[in-house]
Amino acid sequence: MSEETITLEVTRYRPGHDREPRAQTFSVPYRKDWVVLDALNHIKDRTDGTLSYRWSCRMGVCGSCGMMVNGVPKLTCAAFLRDYHPGPIRVEPLANFPVVRDLVISLDDFMEKLRRVKPWIIREVEKPVAEGEYLQTPAQLDLYKQFSMCINCMLCYAACPVYGLDPVFIGPAAIALGYRYNLDSRDEGYRIRQPILTEAVGVWDCTFVGECSVVCPKGVDPAAAIQRSKVAGAKEWFMSMLLPWGGR
Amino acid sequence: MTTVPRRDRPGFYYPKPPATWWLRRPNYVLFMLRELSSVFIAIFLVLLLVQIHQLSQGPAAYAAFVERLRSPGWIAFHVVALAFALYHSITWFNLTAVVQVVRLGERQVPPRLVAAANFLLWGVVSLVILFFFLLGG
Amino acid sequence: MPAEEGYRHDLLVVGGGGAGLRAAIAAAEESNRLSIAVISKVYPMRSHTVSAEGGTAAVMRENDSLDTHAKDTIFGSDFLADQDVVEAFVKEAPGEVIQLEHWGCPWSRDPDGRVSVRPFGGMTVNRTLYAADKTGFHMLHALFQTSLKYDKIVRYDEWFATSLLVEDGKVCGVAALNLHDGQVRPIAAKAVIICTGGAGRIYPFTTNAAIKTGDGMALAYRAGVALKDMEFVQYHPTGLPGTGILMTEASRGEGGYLKNKDGYRYLQDYGLGPPTDKPVHRKMELGPRDILSRCHIQEHLKGRTFEGPYGDYVHLDLRHLGEKVIDKKLPFVRELARNYVGIDPVYEPIPVRPVVHYMMGGISTDISGKTSLDGLYAAGETACVSINGANRLGSNSLTELLVFGARAGRAAARYALERPALRSNPIAQLVSDERKRLDQRFLRADGRERIADIREEMQNAMEKGVGIYRNQAEMKETCETLRKLRERFAHIGLADRDAVFNTELIAALELECLLDVAEAVAHSALAREESRGSHTRTDFPKRDDARFLKHSLAYRTPGGSRIEYLPVTITRWPPEERKY
């Protein structure tokens, strides 16, 4: 008996040669414990060495292998063939991003935005290392922990129609990470960071579709981070209207 | 840290979302419905303002206005508007659960419980209003 | 210099993982007159540090002492660690983990707000800090995000360093391939720090990510620098069969049991008992990794392991810990086991087997990360500064990349400040030669050998010859196979000739590195006629301090590695029998 196979429809795009992406069909062995990434590796090793995509840890933590699988943003190292049986399975580059080649998208925009939200501890005075750690109770840790779980896999950007329509939006992951530092009891940078999060292309661009949180593989819930930043921003604006003379 | 500038090369393919992007996923459709609901709710509110204005114009004018609202078209509109208002309210209360972190001492109250409390409050207020309405009617 | 001619910095870090980022930040803080660059073949937050789970060792509590940490490390290393280096390491470890705390790393906390510590294999007291079981992930992201605030650190993301540029016996930068346009350009620098991590991919079954191909080790090896102690390859006792995904040692630190197919905690039969319900330091499941991996093979030989489609396995049983502890302390273990083997550890034991995890060996450096080549430094798993010796203790590697990443960063910065400006002409010539080499070797060649075939045969040969148990005949065969594979590699053929994001070309360059590193491992192992730490020979089952209390140094020659030896530094802990 010949081995059972499953069909993958993979997006190909050769810069300089193709005007736009096209789909190429590959047939790969169907194994129940294979993920979509295993199938792509099989194609690269055995069928077509020119197929380009990113991958590394194959355990869902490095964030490299995000792609659209049947139209949904997924980490392909965690998308099992068996869940798409009998196929065919459509594999495309993450939506909303410029395509560099085949399944490889450009991250330049996100890298710039991540830096813009200042995702680091800001202190008025740094405590010397010799004086030991900042004390932080488990409850204080819990406040921000969830938002520190972001692996920058970009699935949330691929799911966000606002980002797709207008890429100036800072976007879910970067806002969630900025918010994470705002919540950290060790941080004193709220006054610097919050205006960046609440600027025109920041949280107020979000129309709360909520799909970012649905596709997040790490339960970060960036939508919640954005909405909570909106509430905080609105509260502050309201207070400043009520108490225009109030200090900072 | 700075990154070496990488000029956008002409080789990049920039995808453009089609006008039908919102049909791609169920959540997008629900989102668009929620956006659309505001149109109906706005019309309803304008109508309410007109109604109050008519009240100030004397009983006859008011009666005529109310009579006009009895037409099948307006009734249909109100049914749709009510459906949208309910849909909007339900999604709104679910949303507040996500947005508003409620803490009891060390522990965060589960968002579901916050939503449930919202719905309970909403139900109670609705019942009170209904009670006064029936009392007055 | 215009872009076509390349880029110029004072200090260049190759690799953007934990060690590389720590080095770059240390250099930036050492002097604000330096231009610092980080080149990495992946975006820094994709680096393999991200996969580390269990924790980071440092003396944090009153019941602990630097001497105990040093003693545990030296004992674990089977006395092959350099003791002066270990002493510096344990001394600087607490400061480094606190520094990382100040940079936002979300260490797990005790109720009083202090960072928590957990037990770990081979350690006498609780000294392993952790961020649940995603310690490496949180450390890497804290380092990366902190690095973003330094304007003078310039990043070259998705550039692959293909060779070191050496002129007059001094490093003057690297030739690097930009994945985004396929061009090879010089990145000139007065000092270069290699921080490219390990090389687990020389084996078929490893916890290591796809990118762990020993690139930096190969760069140094080809430039004439020795690779030290390469025969010492750590097998982690608990990886998932098939994928090799790591089930952290913290799962045993928190009290997990290893059981054979009869449900028996078999480690008690190998001198690690007595079994207790609660974990006891250095006993049973908290024994060191080399010993636990050997016990697994012994159990298999006795026919007491399970047989599965991906080889024999035993059970890692966490059920008695309960859902609450598992979710709080080991959430990633639960997530991985559920996703990849469909098992919820709250209700079922997890199938595990030993899997290649870590290279104790690497680029030979001194205590400051300096190599024998002027201007070249190395830190992290890619280096061998000799704190791990013949077997690394779990949770020492994350600390190592902090302590020695920072040391290398500071040392290289001071070196770069003193060195006069580089000359452009020789650099341009060196890079032009490198372009020609890559062109002829890969992009114009029409060989018929496939990357995947050679890689697979190499991996299988390594597992067979230099796995957990080794003997002379099989190691010789592996050395011979590697020699033939190198010949076949000369006839490699690529289907992809495009310039932009040519991942097939990268795979070929990586395979070339893997073959170099594999050669150094096999030849070093063949030459060491004793058993020590992770290097276990059936034909020489005893440790032989008279002949081999020394480091092996592998130098590249056309016919394979030439092996030399270097004495081990002993300060206060004379070698004794290693018994737990």
Side-chain angles (χ1 to χ4, degrees):
Chain A
M1 199 186 87
S2 68
E3 199 179 24
E4 190 184 354
T5 59
I6 192 165
T7 301
L8 261 64
E9 293 167 7
V10 182
T11 300
R12 303 302 303 268
Y13 172 69
R14 261 182 98 189
H17 294 84
D18 297 340
R19 288 197 49 190
E20 52 183 49
R22 63 202 158 78
Q24 188 178 355
T25 305
F26 295 97
S27 177
V28 298
Y30 174 68
R31 309 231 170 102
K32 280 199 175 109
D33 53 0
W34 267 17
V35 291
V36 171
L37 178 61
D38 292 321
L40 293 176
N41 283 338
H42 180 85
I43 294 168
K44 181 145 190 91
D45 284 351
R46 299 293 157 200
T47 320
D48 186 347
T50 66
L51 181 65
S52 288
Y53 51 95
R54 294 186 179 105
W55 73 290
S56 181
C57 77
R58 53 79 181 92
M59 56 190 278
V61 71
C62 79
S64 306
C65 69
M67 297 169 208
M68 305 298 283
V69 180
N70 281 356
V72 180
K74 289 275 180 196
L75 292 179
T76 51
C77 72
F80 283 86
L81 296 183
R82 59 176 183 254
D83 296 333
Y84 300 91
H85 190 261
I89 306 174
R90 203 152 35 85
V91 184
E92 301 164 291
L94 281 181
N96 302 337
F97 288 95
V99 181
V100 176
R101 176 178 173 176
D102 294 346
L103 299 165
V104 178
I105 50 106
S106 170
L107 264 81
D108 295 353
D109 182 52
F110 171 73
M111 297 306 277
E112 190 275 318
K113 283 172 175 160
L114 177 64
R115 184 159 186 258
R116 203 189 319 163
V117 301
K118 301 189 189 294
W120 53 78
I121 297 278
I122 298 172
R123 300 276 305 178
E124 278 161 27
V125 184
E126 302 251 356
K127 178 172 165 177
V129 167
E131 287 174 23
E133 73 255 53
Y134 296 112
L135 295 182
Q136 183 169 68
T137 64
Q140 287 173 320
L141 172 66
D142 274 351
L143 264 183
Y144 70 88
K145 183 81 195 235
Q146 171 187 14
F147 303 109
S148 73
M149 304 303 276
C150 171
I151 61 173
N152 305 353
C153 66
M154 301 292 103
L155 300 197
C156 55
Y157 284 77
C160 174
V162 176
Y163 183 69
L165 294 166
D166 189 5
V168 295
F169 176 40
I170 295 179
I175 293 176
L177 283 164
Y179 184 64
R180 166 244 179 279
Y181 282 92
N182 276 351
L183 292 179
D184 194 317
S185 59
R186 298 167 289 186
D187 183 76
E188 299 171 341
Y190 181 83
R191 294 279 146 213
I192 299 166
R193 212 176 284 113
Q194 184 66 4
I196 301 165
L197 297 183
T198 50
E199 71 188 8
V201 295
V203 293
W204 297 109
D205 252 14
C206 167
T207 53
F208 200 56
V209 180
E211 198 64 3
C212 52
S213 295
V214 175
V215 301
C216 177
K218 297 288 139 183
V220 172
D221 203 350
I226 297 173
Q227 310 323 312
R228 287 177 202 168
S229 292
K230 282 182 188 170
V231 172
K235 244 193 237 163
E236 269 172 30
W237 177 82
F238 190 67
M239 292 308 283
S240 75
M241 296 306 281
L242 273 181
L243 310 161
W245 61 87
R248 37 181 236 137
Chain B
M1 195 182 259
T2 50
T3 314
V4 173
R6 186 178 284 144
R7 274 163 289 140
D8 276 359
R9 281 168 298 103
F12 277 7
Y13 172 74
Y14 291 90
K16 281 181 201 70
T20 55
W21 65 265
W22 53 279
L23 291 172
R24 280 184 175 174
R25 307 192 61 177
N27 261 0
Y28 292 171
V29 176
L30 291 177
F31 161 74
M32 284 307 256
L33 282 177
R34 198 173 73 227
E35 299 287 288
L36 186 66
S37 69
S38 55
V39 173
F40 285 84
I41 293 167
I43 294 174
F44 173 78
L45 286 174
V46 170
L47 211 60
L48 194 67
L49 288 175
V50 173
Q51 193 172 358
I52 291 167
H53 176 72
Q54 292 294 333
L55 200 58
S56 69
Q57 303 298 308
Y62 183 71
F65 179 77
V66 170
E67 189 53 38
R68 250 178 292 148
L69 287 184
R70 288 185 205 275
S71 75
W74 279 120
I75 289 173
F77 166 80
H78 276 93
V79 169
V80 174
L82 178 67
F84 270 122
L86 284 174
Y87 174 66
H88 200 112
S89 307
I90 290 166
T91 50
W92 173 257
F93 283 128
N94 283 333
L95 170 115
T96 49
V98 171
V99 171
Q100 206 58 49
V101 184
V102 181
R103 301 185 81 84
L104 275 178
E106 289 278 280
R107 308 192 62 177
Q108 184 183 333
V109 180
R112 270 162 193 241
L113 214 65
V114 178
N118 277 333
F119 282 117
L120 193 71
L121 194 68
W122 182 33
V124 168
V125 171
S126 300
L127 280 178
V128 168
I129 292 174
L130 191 68
F131 175 75
F132 279 110
F133 181 74
L134 290 176
L135 209 68
Chain C
M1 209 161 14
E4 290 67 34
E5 285 175 36
Y7 303 92
R8 186 170 278 249
H9 300 280
D10 295 307
L11 194 154
L12 173 65
V13 182
V14 183
L21 293 171
R22 185 65 191 90
I25 296 172
E29 305 222 308
E30 180 73 16
S31 163
N32 52 21
R33 287 189 289 132
L34 288 172
S35 156
I36 299 157
V38 177
I39 164 176
S40 171
K41 67 174 175 179
V42 293
Y43 281 93
M45 68 278 186
R46 312 295 187 219
S47 308
H48 188 53
T49 306
V50 86
S51 298
E53 297 174 17
T56 309
V59 173
M60 298 301 286
R61 291 287 195 272
E62 300 70 25
N63 66 347
D64 199 357
S65 74
L66 297 181
D67 276 5
T68 329
H69 189 190
K71 168 107 201 267
D72 287 346
T73 302
I74 291 161
F75 204 75
S77 81
D78 219 348
F79 293 90
L80 201 69
D82 283 339
Q83 299 183 1
D84 54 337
V85 183
V86 173
E87 289 190 69
F89 165 72
V90 299
K91 190 164 160 241
E92 287 168 31
E96 281 295 329
V97 297
I98 286 168
Q99 176 64 79
L100 207 63
E101 194 275 335
H102 289 192
W103 285 338
C105 184
W107 297 121
S108 293
R109 305 282 179 158
D110 284 356
D112 64 3
R114 292 192 301 170
V115 293
S116 302
V117 283
R118 65 165 40 137
F120 234 70
M123 302 280 190
T124 325
V125 289
N126 292 7
R127 67 164 70 97
T128 298
L129 290 82
Y130 56 98
D133 54 356
K134 286 196 179 174
T135 311
F137 161 79
H138 284 297
M139 282 177 55
L140 181 68
H141 280 254
L143 281 167
F144 175 60
Q145 288 164 10
T146 299
S147 78
L148 293 174
K149 74 179 177 190
Y150 296 90
D151 283 332
K152 61 191 167 195
I153 302 178
V154 178
R155 265 195 355 259
Y156 296 80
D157 295 333
E158 299 193 317
W159 288 57
F160 188 99
T162 66
S163 71
L164 284 173
L165 305 177
V166 182
E167 201 226 344
D168 277 349
K170 287 189 171 70
V171 162
C172 52
V174 301
L177 173 78
N178 180 354
L179 261 80
H180 286 258
D181 65 9
Q183 299 301 308
V184 176
R185 295 196 184 87
I187 303 177
K190 295 177 187 170
V192 173
I193 311 176
I194 297 183
C195 302
T196 54
R201 289 273 157 177
I202 55 178
Y203 288 87
F205 184 59
T206 173
T207 59
N208 283 196
I211 55 173
K212 293 337 299 173
T213 50
D215 312 339
M217 293 181 188
L219 287 185
Y221 188 49
R222 289 174 203 158
V225 179
L227 299 184
K228 193 203 287 170
D229 291 339
M230 291 299 283
E231 61 272 41
F232 300 103
V233 176
Q234 179 165 78
Y235 278 74
H236 195 292
T238 57
L240 293 181
T243 55
I245 290 171
L246 174 68
M247 293 290 106
T248 172
E249 187 163 312
S251 51
R252 285 171 282 129
E254 297 296 342
Y257 300 149
L258 281 174
K259 293 176 173 174
N260 67 16
K261 73 173 183 186
D262 307 321
Y264 174 69
R265 289 173 69 192
Y266 59 91
L267 294 174
Q268 59 190 288
D269 294 356
Y270 301 93
L272 287 161
T276 46
D277 290 348
K278 297 266 179 250
V280 172
H281 292 287
R282 313 207 316 161
K283 294 287 175 198
M284 291 298 288
E285 284 83 1
L286 284 181
R289 291 172 178 175
D290 56 339
I291 294 176
L292 262 54
S293 293
R294 283 195 290 274
C295 294
H296 176 99
I297 304 289
Q298 295 299 328
E299 272 308 280
H300 174 59
L301 293 175
K302 289 178 189 163
R304 301 202 297 196
T305 52
F306 298 92
E307 291 304 320
Y310 298 102
D312 52 287
Y313 63 89
V314 293
H315 275 157
L316 172 62
D317 195 345
L318 309 179
R319 289 174 295 182
H320 55 287
L321 301 181
E323 187 166 7
K324 229 174 145 182
V325 170
I326 291 175
D327 279 350
K328 189 162 171 60
K329 301 280 187 72
L330 305 163
F332 198 32
V333 162
R334 191 177 187 190
E335 178 188 329
L336 290 169
R338 273 173 158 177
N339 285 351
Y340 290 95
V341 283
I343 276 174
D344 187 341
V346 173
Y347 306 106
E348 286 172 276
I350 312 167
V352 290
R353 59 177 315 222
V355 48
V356 168
H357 184 54
Y358 186 87
M359 309 282 297
M360 268 72 75
I363 302 166
S364 177
T365 75
D366 71 7
I367 197 166
S368 67
K370 187 175 155 18
T371 72
S372 59
L373 179 62
D374 246 7
L376 185 68
Y377 297 75
E381 188 176 345
T382 203
C384 180
V385 66
S386 286
I387 62 157
N388 301 313
N391 174 64
R392 174 176 71 81
L393 290 190
S395 75
N396 264 352
S397 66
L398 288 177
T399 317
E400 177 183 1
L401 63 81
L402 294 174
V403 170
F404 293 99
R407 275 181 160 253
R410 287 190 296 263
R414 286 194 291 267
Y415 175 87
L417 283 170
E418 284 169 16
R419 192 170 165 188
L422 300 168
R423 297 183 299 143
S424 298
N425 289 346
I427 292 175
Q429 184 57 47
L430 288 167
V431 170
S432 151
D433 293 348
E434 177 66 1
R435 278 191 199 115
K436 267 186 220 132
R437 182 184 80 91
L438 296 179
D439 230 37
Q440 281 165 3
R441 181 131 218 194
F442 301 113
L443 294 176
R444 299 245 181 87
D446 46 7
R448 314 189 65 146
E449 292 287 354
R450 293 170 93 148
I451 294 171
D453 291 340
I454 296 181
R455 191 171 55 212
E456 238 176 76
E457 286 178 44
M458 170 199 67
Q459 290 172 337
N460 292 335
M462 292 302 284
E463 184 66 39
K464 184 152 182 284
V466 274
I468 295 179
Y469 283 98
R470 305 163 173 187
N471 66 61
Q472 189 184 39
E474 282 179 338
M475 280 191 284
K476 277 193 167 155
E477 199 184 313
T478 296
C479 289
E480 180 55 17
T481 308
L482 292 175
R483 193 187 57 75
K484 284 187 193 145
L485 288 174
R486 186 184 285 288
E487 282 172 17
R488 283 172 57 192
F489 182 79
H491 304 289
I492 202 102
L494 301 191
D496 196 342
R497 306 288 164 103
D498 280 358
V500 177
F501 229 92
N502 187 333
T503 48
E504 198 185 21
L505 174 59
I506 296 297
L509 291 166
E510 289 175 335
L511 178 56
E512 200 178 22
C513 296
L514 287 168
L515 286 168
D516 276 346
V517 174
E519 173 189 277
V521 171
H523 284 254
S524 306
L526 181 61
R528 186 176 286 273
E529 295 179 330
E530 65 158 351
S531 290
R532 182 189 296 271
S534 67
H535 176 69
T536 313
R537 290 188 59 157
T538 50
D539 45 356
F540 295 95
K542 287 257 183 301
R543 196 173 87 189
D544 185 350
D545 283 346
R547 286 178 69 205
F548 288 105
L549 184 58
K550 47 194 177 184
H551 304 295
S552 46
L553 297 176
Y555 290 93
R556 192 168 193 267
T557 75
S561 307
R562 181 184 83 242
I563 308 297
E564 293 179 9
Y565 292 96
L566 188 74
V568 173
T569 308
I570 309 280
T571 57
R572 292 190 281 143
W573 295 274
E576 55 182 278
E577 194 193 350
R578 179 170 170 243
K579 269 192 83 134
Y580 284 91

